Amino acid sequence: SQVFEEISPADFFYRNRDIAGFTNPSRAIFASIRELVENSLDAAELAGVPPDIYVRLTFGEGGSQSGIYKLRVEDNGSGITSRHIPSAFGQVLFGSKYKLKQARGTFGLGGTMAVLYGQITTHKPASIVSSTGSTKIYKYRIMIDIQRNKPIILERKIRINKERWHGTIVNFSLEGDYFRAMPKILEYLKQTALVNPYANITFVDPKGRLYKFMRVTTKMPPPPKETLPHPYGVDVETVKRLIQITRHRNILDFMRTHFHRTSEKIAHKFLEFTGIPKSKNPKNLGPQEIVKLVQMMKRFEEFRPPSASCLSPLGEDLLRVGILKELKPEFTAVCQRKPSTYSGHPFIVETAIAYGGEIPKKGDFIVYRFANRIPLLYDEASDVSFRVIKNMNWRRYKISPDMPIAVLVHICSTKIPYKTVGKEFIADRPEVKREILNGIREAARKLKRFLSKREHVEREKRR
Amino acid sequence: SQVFEEISPADFFYRNRDIAGFTNPSRAIFASIRELVENSLDAAELAGVPPDIYVRLTFGEGGSQSGIYKLRVEDNGSGITSRHIPSAFGQVLFGSKYKLKQARGTFGLGGTMAVLYGQITTHKPASIVSSTGSTKIYKYRIMIDIQRNKPIILERKIRINKERWHGTIVNFSLEGDYFRAMPKILEYLKQTALVNPYANITFVDPKGRLYKFMRVTTKMPPPPKETLPHPYGVDVETVKRLIQITRHRNILDFMRTHFHRTSEKIAHKFLEFTGIPKSKNPKNLGPQEIVKLVQMMKRFEEFRPPSASCLSPLGEDLLRVGILKELKPEFTAVCQRKPSTYSGHPFIVETAIAYGGEIPKKGDFIVYRFANRIPLLYDEASDVSFRVIKNMNWRRYKISPDMPIAVLVHICSTKIPYKTVGKEFIADRPEVKREILNGIREAARKLKRFLSKREHVEREKRR
Ligand SMILES: Nc1ncnc2c1ncn2[C@@H]1O[C@H](COP(=O)(O)OP(=O)(O)OP(=O)(O)O)[C@@H](O)[C@H]1O
Ligand SMILES: Nc1ncnc2c1ncn2[C@@H]1O[C@H](COP(=O)(O)OP(=O)(O)OP(=O)(O)O)[C@@H](O)[C@H]1O
Ligand SMILES: [Mg+2]
Ligand SMILES: [Mg+2]
């Protein structure tokens, strides 16, 4: 007969670490660097400062043949309050990004996965140094109790923070294969610099080579603001949880307080639509009444569409600046679409087409994909953006794949429809697909105009 | 400053249910049916009986327009002992398949995800009836406390099991879109019948239409046996856990008892190779000594390769029988490769090419992919088998895509390298890729021989 077991989420992602992107030593080095760099970028933006990020990868004690490396990532971000540092890196499904607000982080998993992978391949602890800019800097040495999904604190030190530094330094050892991973790591850093042109990223590789991606501006997009759930985006579980925590004893105030852009007037109209009396205590709604309430929310057509204040698109200027800095094209067409939603989640698509200059002719378009300012480098063929580009009728715009062209797609959302825990590619959501298609068409129109104008000028010259 | 939260694994998969395959109402109906059918097939094979599985999908109380369905899946499998029933369906990361033994289930997640999805879309409890063939049949009505990842038992009933029935019946409501999902559901059941030709599968759809997939044999492959970890497949964490639980006080007996096919003689040789004295108490190994032990395990070349007793391939006869029953080709070439390993996990590839008869001409090969006797129906282009078929040189075998040909690939392993939690497609592991390629080539050779023999016969006829 069957023998049952329960396992912790750390154990689940330990056993299935390839599902989180830690497939083999080469991929794991890439995954560790990207998870930590994305955490650092989030942290600097949270602190409202242009990010300064230092990544150093060195050979471990066994030297260059042992396959063991040491990874150190330092940032000038918001830092982490002392009591949360061990769990931030020693517990899976623990984090500060479970909010309705655009961020690179979303699962509460990445940083801990990197530390976990290091631990299972080298059995060495990780060291985390952090300060929020207070009078103290905290240093922890931790390991992870994988079966309990809890950090093990081996050491905790405090020192005085004279310069009121704020930031985080993560240091750990891991098995890897840098030489195999190198092209992807460098491509990742370059594309990160492109889509975050206000960031300084410095990388020292195991051979001591220095790569510097310098900022060309200190201008940053306005930060996103946390938002309330939208009536079109909730289900029974979410509404149940809101009812559990609400202090309101009538459903009118409940609707008005807990839902996005739901004024008293709209809440009134909605409750008339449902036939539920305004004074009804939400805690007295029965299970099927809650189901009906949620169904009614989907059918009521007068809720205002979600605002995009929880999003933070790059904007056409910054996108152009980043493309110029890293791709050096002759001409760039950018387009920022209006906010849209899928399944109640707001999103914005930004596209660009870069032509000529240092863009190489590859016989096909070079596709760059970004989500919440994260470059996506794997599984191109499965990604919705790639499919849109493949199936689009480019001849309408007199653009062909043998031209030196790069097509860039950036999606920002409170919930990127990632297909995988490893954030490799984006699922095919009809609303998102439509926005990508229209965004690329708009950019293609601009390029077509530039090319025909240029052709016209050349013809004039030849007369 | 950052506000931290921890979430349960049920909450993680609730928020990210598209990562588990529950993307939208149409996909969720498919996912629910496949998760329950796979559980039933595992259970019947565990009980050693040819599976009888009944799937019934009906319109919910709102009728055909409400988008609410009721799903009922019944099997004649091993059943579940009473005290484990609530957690089996009410707790994520709980199950009986966390062993080193081939099974369809692997994550401890699927059945609970189906119940969870039903709950968040309809707020109705699920009912589970089960017996292991004892004197009692147990019926539970449960919901899931998602934030705690625990079942909520609403009702528990016992009745006498007069006929000593064994099996499980799962009943729950869910939001869905059957008419969109129907082609995929029917294709799934047909391919399941193909790769499990000893199973009876009956499906009644919401319109009352009956689909019967009848067994053509009661012969089943020998069941897999649970195995020990292999020295080539372990890492520091696994060895640490074995050291914690071992009752042996010397490392020789530790190696001999806890590792696959490690006899006393081989354990001796290995310990001489490492320089660790045979009498060393494994619990006295320091962290870096454990790391060195694991590295030595990877380098010692005299461990016997993993045996395939933990696997249960279909076998050429059953595969042929299943293909004939569901595809009715004129000719079938099958091939079962020898056991191989990737990252220490044993696997076997079985391939087949079916030609002519009722196989339609589609202008390209029809690809059927299976893993541990589960059909994979999504993300074909990302799957390793599809890529092998696309890039193979078929002209060598005088086979071209305009012929009526289906190519089937079945991989069995103690750990299928799924890329996603939704078990949609298989990652590109070099060892697996090589076995698939060689397996298809072998089958292609057989088809080539058949075609040239037939061509020869036809030429003779025309003289
Ligand atoms: N460099 C850093 N600076 C400040 N806070 C950090 C840093 N790295 C991690 N954190 C904190 O630790 C938490 C957990 O990080 P982790 O990478 O595991 O998850 P996440 O970023 O929330 O989500 P994801 O798994 O999608 O990356 C973060 O939410 C953040 O609050
Ligand atoms: N029909 C059934 N008959 C017998 N046992 C079952 C049945 N359905 C589920 N179980 C038991 O409940 C456990 C949990 O099922 P669940 O589908 O959630 O996970 P799993 O099958 O182990 O893994 P996976 O997530 O890969 O499907 C199973 O491991 C099995 O022991
Ligand atoms: Mg992160
Ligand atoms: Mg299952």
Side-chain angles (χ1 to χ4, degrees), chain B residues 111-383:
Chain B
T112 306
M113 277 309 297
V115 169
L116 190 154
Y117 177 83
Q119 173 174 317
I120 60 181
T121 53
T122 67
H123 212 329
K124 294 207 173 88
S127 117
I128 322 288
V129 175
S130 192
S131 175
T132 55
S134 66
T135 53
K136 301 202 173 63
I137 297 176
Y138 296 88
K139 173 173 181 180
Y140 283 85
R141 292 216 307 141
I142 64 164
M143 290 191 87
I144 305 176
D145 182 336
I146 296 176
Q147 287 181 296
R148 288 208 197 88
N149 189 32
K150 284 278 171 261
I152 303 166
I153 301 173
L154 301 174
E155 187 183 68
R156 179 175 181 269
K157 288 194 181 140
I158 306 179
R159 56 171 219 269
I160 305 297
N161 188 5
K162 284 218 210 75
E163 306 101 44
R164 293 300 182 94
W165 167 77
H166 55 81
T168 304
I169 307 171
V170 181
N171 241 317
F172 68 99
S173 299
L174 74 164
E175 184 184 85
D177 185 345
Y178 175 66
F179 300 106
R180 206 176 202 126
M182 183 170 129
K184 276 298 210 247
I185 292 171
L186 294 179
E187 184 63 23
Y188 174 81
L189 295 176
K190 166 175 167 143
Q191 291 193 29
T192 296
L194 189 162
V195 78
N196 301 280
Y198 47 82
N200 275 353
I201 302 173
T202 305
F203 173 51
V204 180
D205 83 359
K207 294 251 168 185
R209 292 178 288 224
L210 173 70
Y211 302 87
K212 278 169 100 63
F213 301 88
M214 305 274 65
R215 65 171 59 98
V216 290
T217 174
T218 53
K219 207 155 123 305
M220 288 165 67
K225 297 199 184 67
E226 187 175 348
T227 187
L228 296 168
H230 192 279
Y232 294 148
V234 295
D235 56 29
V236 172
E237 176 72 14
T238 308
V239 172
K240 243 173 66 183
R241 291 180 193 187
L242 292 172
I243 290 174
Q244 273 175 358
I245 60 163
T246 189
R247 293 199 223 125
H248 292 292
R249 301 212 195 130
N250 69 78
I251 195 165
L252 179 78
D253 289 334
F254 172 79
M255 290 301 301
R256 191 176 51 75
T257 306
H258 293 285
F259 292 89
H260 178 63
R261 287 185 117 188
T262 305
S263 64
E264 179 144 356
K265 176 157 170 274
I266 291 180
H268 253 280
K269 279 191 151 193
F270 171 67
L271 290 171
E272 284 187 5
F273 176 77
T274 63
I276 298 176
K278 299 191 288 299
S279 56
K280 177 91 181 174
N281 188 336
K283 297 203 202 279
N284 292 338
L285 287 167
Q288 291 312 314
E289 292 184 286
I290 298 178
V291 175
K292 187 151 164 297
L293 179 68
V294 173
Q295 287 177 342
M296 290 291 164
M297 281 186 201
K298 304 278 185 289
R299 286 187 212 152
F300 183 69
E301 295 189 357
E302 296 180 54
F303 286 120
R304 303 182 59 196
S307 86
S309 57
C310 55
L311 300 181
S312 175
L314 258 185
E316 299 195 4
D317 294 343
L318 276 177
L319 183 51
R320 194 181 291 279
V321 155
I323 289 169
L324 252 108
K325 147 159 122 90
E326 293 301 334
L327 301 184
K328 304 185 179 56
E330 178 187 349
F331 171 80
T332 307
V334 297
C335 161
Q336 182 183 89
R337 299 283 298 167
K338 289 211 165 15
S340 183
T341 55
Y342 81 91
S343 306
H345 298 291
F347 73 93
I348 289 174
V349 167
E350 304 181 284
T351 60
I353 301 181
Y355 167 85
E358 292 188 21
I359 310 263
K361 263 194 208 166
K362 292 237 162 175
D364 206 349
F365 302 125
I366 303 169
V367 178
Y368 291 98
R369 303 171 283 135
F370 305 95
N372 287 357
R373 301 185 214 160
I374 294 172
L376 309 181
L377 297 194
Y378 287 94
D379 293 309
E380 185 183 59
S382 314
D383 189 288

Side-chain angles (χ1 to χ4, degrees), chain A residues 55-115:
Chain A
V55 181
R56 192 179 70 207
L57 191 68
T58 49
F59 291 119
E61 288 150 7
S64 63
Q65 295 311 318
S66 64
I68 304 294
Y69 297 81
K70 290 211 218 112
L71 176 61
R72 179 186 190 283
V73 179
E74 172 173 350
D75 63 66
N76 60 339
S78 61
I80 306 170
T81 38
S82 163
R83 70 179 183 283
H84 293 308
I85 292 173
S87 293
F89 294 96
Q91 184 175 335
V92 153
L93 305 188
F94 180 92
S96 61
K97 299 165 199 169
Y98 290 128
K99 322 238 167 298
L100 280 173
K101 183 172 100 165
Q102 175 182 324
R104 293 170 188 75
T106 170
F107 298 133
L109 181 56
T112 306
M113 276 310 297
V115 170

Side-chain angles (χ1 to χ4, degrees), chain A residues 2 5-7 14-15 18 23 79 91 93 95-96 123 235-236 238 240 379 382 415 419 429, chain B residues 2 5-7 11 14-15 18 23 79 91 93 95-96 123 235-236 238 240 379 382 415 419 429:
Chain A
Q2 309 185 67
E5 264 183 274
E6 69 178 38
I7 64 172
Y14 157 61
R15 294 165 189 250
D18 37 354
T23 318
Q91 184 175 335
L93 305 188
S96 61
H123 211 325
D235 55 30
V236 171
T238 308
K240 244 173 65 184
D379 294 312
S382 315
K415 184 173 196 317
K419 198 88 200 267
R429 291 300 164 81
Chain B
Q2 309 186 65
E5 264 180 275
E6 68 179 37
I7 65 172
D11 208 345
Y14 157 61
R15 294 164 189 250
D18 39 356
T23 318
Q91 181 175 336
L93 304 188
S96 61
H123 212 329
D235 56 29
V236 172
T238 308
K240 243 173 66 183
D379 293 309
S382 314
K415 185 174 196 312
K419 199 85 203 263
R429 292 297 164 82

Side-chain angles (χ1 to χ4, degrees), chain A residues 177-331:
Chain A
D177 184 343
Y178 176 66
F179 299 106
R180 205 175 200 128
M182 183 169 128
K184 277 297 210 254
I185 291 170
L186 295 179
E187 185 61 24
Y188 174 82
L189 295 175
K190 165 174 168 147
Q191 292 193 28
T192 297
L194 190 162
V195 77
N196 301 278
Y198 46 82
N200 273 354
I201 303 173
T202 306
F203 174 51
V204 179
D205 84 358
K207 294 252 167 179
R209 294 178 286 226
L210 174 69
Y211 302 87
K212 281 172 95 71
F213 301 87
M214 305 274 61
R215 66 171 58 98
V216 289
T217 175
T218 53
K219 205 156 126 300
M220 287 165 66
K225 298 198 185 68
E226 187 174 348
T227 186
L228 297 169
H230 192 279
Y232 293 147
V234 295
D235 55 30
V236 171
E237 175 73 14
T238 308
V239 173
K240 244 173 65 184
R241 291 182 193 185
L242 293 172
I243 289 174
Q244 273 175 356
I245 61 164
T246 190
R247 291 200 225 124
H248 292 292
R249 298 211 197 133
N250 69 74
I251 195 165
L252 181 76
D253 290 334
F254 172 78
M255 291 301 301
R256 193 177 48 75
T257 307
H258 293 286
F259 292 89
H260 179 63
R261 287 184 116 189
T262 305
S263 63
E264 179 143 355
K265 177 156 170 275
I266 290 181
H268 252 278
K269 278 190 152 198
F270 170 67
L271 288 172
E272 284 187 6
F273 176 75
T274 64
I276 298 175
K278 294 190 291 298
S279 56
K280 177 92 182 176
N281 187 336
K283 296 201 201 281
N284 292 340
L285 286 168
Q288 290 314 314
E289 292 183 287
I290 298 178
V291 176
K292 186 150 165 299
L293 178 68
V294 172
Q295 287 176 341
M296 289 292 165
M297 282 186 201
K298 304 278 184 286
R299 285 187 213 152
F300 183 69
E301 294 190 355
E302 295 178 55
F303 286 119
R304 303 181 60 198
S307 86
S309 58
C310 56
L311 299 181
S312 174
L314 258 184
E316 297 195 3
D317 293 343
L318 276 177
L319 182 51
R320 194 183 291 281
V321 156
I323 290 170
L324 252 110
K325 149 162 121 92
E326 293 301 332
L327 302 185
K328 303 185 181 60
E330 177 187 353
F331 171 79

